[in-house]
Amino acid sequence: MDYIDYYKTLEITKSATEAEIKKAYRKAARKYHPDLNPNDKEAEKKFKEINEANEVLSNPENRKKYDKYGKDWKHADEFEKAGYDPNQQRSRQQSGQDFSSGDFSGFSGGDFGGGDFSDFFNSMYGGARSSRTQSKYRGQDFNAELELDLVSAYTTHKRNLAVNGKNIRITIPAGVENGQIIKIPGHGGAGANGGPNGDLYLTFIISNNSDFKREGNNLYANIDLDLYTAILGGEIYVNTFDGKVKIKVPEETQTGTKVKLKGKGFPIYKKENQFGDLYITYNVKTPTQLSQKEKELFQELSKIRNHE
């Protein structure tokens, strides 16, 4: 396995914060996402490397192991149990000390013939030199983002995703929220030595281009109401996510009046046929460009009101 500089992959420094890592990952993932680069093998390869880098560097414990052991970070626990310290190894290599005689009693590091960590690991635990069975290692978890609009999030539907060079088809339940993360088992990195695959963690980024504001399972909308209906009352039709509904407007309705339409909000995640509510706020509109006759009638109405 060749060494991959995950920091270089995400174009960040080794001192990058968790927030900087997350920002760099999102930027790179969007740039090389297979949906934006169809049939581009290089972009697909780059996207895979970006996900791999993020899986390691976004996890503080994995990042610490990677910084110390490089490409062999997965075997950090075995190295540490054996007392192997790569920093001391480098120091002894630079000072010219040689431990090739085979006497390793009390060592905490050393020069193992110039080999890398994998050579040392194999000599200790694998290959013909050891009777131990190679340990199975679980594959890395992957993180990805999926962008939806609010209309798509309203209904259960299926989507095709390109993950690590493979196409998978998933079902997205109605009612997913912005920032919600779901786990898709077995679709992360491949396991080692027969170990299980990692999982895919999918974060939803939901945009809202509708006339509704969403807060949890409830929806909110502002409705313009003409002056005459507001004063005299009547019936109007308002839009909801599943069509228009007719509601009754009481006489003398004021601007800012709120009405709740029960069950006309957003679907509740993974609860079939359960919905939040829709809250309507009226905005009474004053008529403009009045005719002379209309002005006269308003003046007459004003006189009546003032004489009462």
Side-chain angles (χ1 to χ4, degrees):
M1 176 181 176
D2 296 331
Y3 174 73
I4 300 176
D5 189 335
Y6 291 146
Y7 292 100
K8 185 177 180 181
T9 299
L10 294 181
E11 299 182 0
I12 54 177
T13 65
K14 286 190 175 182
S15 62
T17 64
E18 291 185 21
E20 289 171 336
I21 292 172
K22 185 175 182 180
K23 181 179 180 181
Y25 165 69
R26 287 186 172 182
K27 178 181 177 182
R30 286 192 180 99
K31 180 178 180 181
Y32 292 101
H33 196 285
D35 289 347
L36 301 178
N37 301 273
N39 302 319
D40 188 333
K41 294 298 182 181
E42 286 300 315
E44 184 177 303
K45 179 182 178 182
K46 187 70 174 177
F47 185 72
K48 179 180 177 181
E49 292 175 353
I50 289 166
N51 276 284
E52 182 178 321
N54 181 63
E55 284 299 325
V56 176
L57 299 185
S58 63
N59 182 307
E61 187 64 28
N62 289 345
R63 182 183 181 184
K64 182 180 178 181
K65 293 177 181 178
Y66 172 76
D67 288 343
K68 187 173 183 179
Y69 293 101
K71 66 184 177 67
D72 295 292
W73 67 271
K74 285 186 177 181
H75 306 308
D77 293 339
E78 284 80 3
F79 288 137
E80 291 173 1
K81 287 178 182 178
Y84 182 59
D85 188 333
N87 295 321
Q88 291 189 22
Q89 179 195 9
R90 296 187 190 100
S91 176
R92 295 191 180 193
Q93 286 176 330
Q94 292 170 0
S95 63
Q97 296 184 42
D98 184 7
F99 290 82
S100 59
S101 63
D103 181 9
F104 299 105
S105 60
F107 79 93
S108 61
D111 182 357
F112 299 95
D116 63 12
F117 306 147
S118 292
D119 295 333
F120 168 73
F121 182 78
N122 287 332
S123 69
M124 292 292 291
Y125 297 104
R129 299 183 186 181
S130 174
S131 61
R132 297 190 183 190
T133 301
Q134 287 187 326
S135 299
K136 296 180 180 181
Y137 294 97
R138 183 177 179 277
Q140 295 180 17
D141 291 333
F142 287 165
N143 289 313
E145 292 182 349
L146 179 61
E147 295 186 2
L148 298 176
D149 57 34
L150 196 63
V151 174
S152 298
Y154 185 81
T155 56
T156 298
H157 64 285
K158 295 183 181 295
R159 283 287 180 100
N160 292 321
L161 300 178
V163 179
N164 199 25
K166 298 179 180 179
N167 289 322
I168 63 173
R169 189 169 177 82
I170 66 171
T171 298
I172 302 174
V176 292
E177 296 195 44
N178 184 49
Q180 183 174 343
I181 299 174
I182 64 172
K183 181 176 76 171
I184 304 176
H187 285 285
N193 300 328
N197 291 347
D199 300 322
L200 170 64
Y201 288 87
L202 197 60
T203 302
F204 289 94
I205 307 299
I206 300 178
S207 60
N208 185 1
N209 297 319
S210 73
D211 294 329
F212 302 92
K213 177 183 177 182
R214 180 186 181 188
E215 291 185 5
N217 300 314
N218 295 326
L219 296 174
Y220 298 82
N222 295 320
I223 299 295
D224 288 338
L225 193 64
D226 69 81
L227 178 64
Y228 312 106
T229 303
I231 294 174
L232 302 174
E235 293 179 337
I236 62 171
Y237 287 89
V238 298
N239 290 321
T240 71
F241 255 89
D242 59 355
K244 291 181 178 292
V245 297
K246 182 170 66 174
I247 60 177
K248 186 175 182 179
V249 179
E251 295 179 0
E252 302 178 6
T253 294
Q254 304 296 308
T255 287
T257 298
K258 296 182 183 297
V259 177
K260 181 174 79 171
L261 302 184
K262 188 173 179 59
K264 291 299 181 180
F266 221 70
I268 299 176
Y269 182 71
K270 286 193 173 180
K271 292 188 177 180
E272 190 173 356
N273 297 323
Q274 293 189 40
F275 297 80
D277 301 321
L278 170 60
Y279 291 87
I280 298 294
T281 300
Y282 290 129
N283 178 34
V284 179
K285 301 290 289 184
T286 302
T288 59
Q289 298 180 336
L290 298 176
S291 67
Q292 185 60 39
K293 179 63 173 177
E294 286 175 318
K295 291 179 181 180
E296 291 173 357
L297 290 173
F298 272 109
Q299 288 171 353
E300 185 174 344
L301 178 61
S302 175
K303 293 176 181 179
I304 294 173
R305 294 287 294 183
N306 290 334
H307 280 89
E308 287 183 353

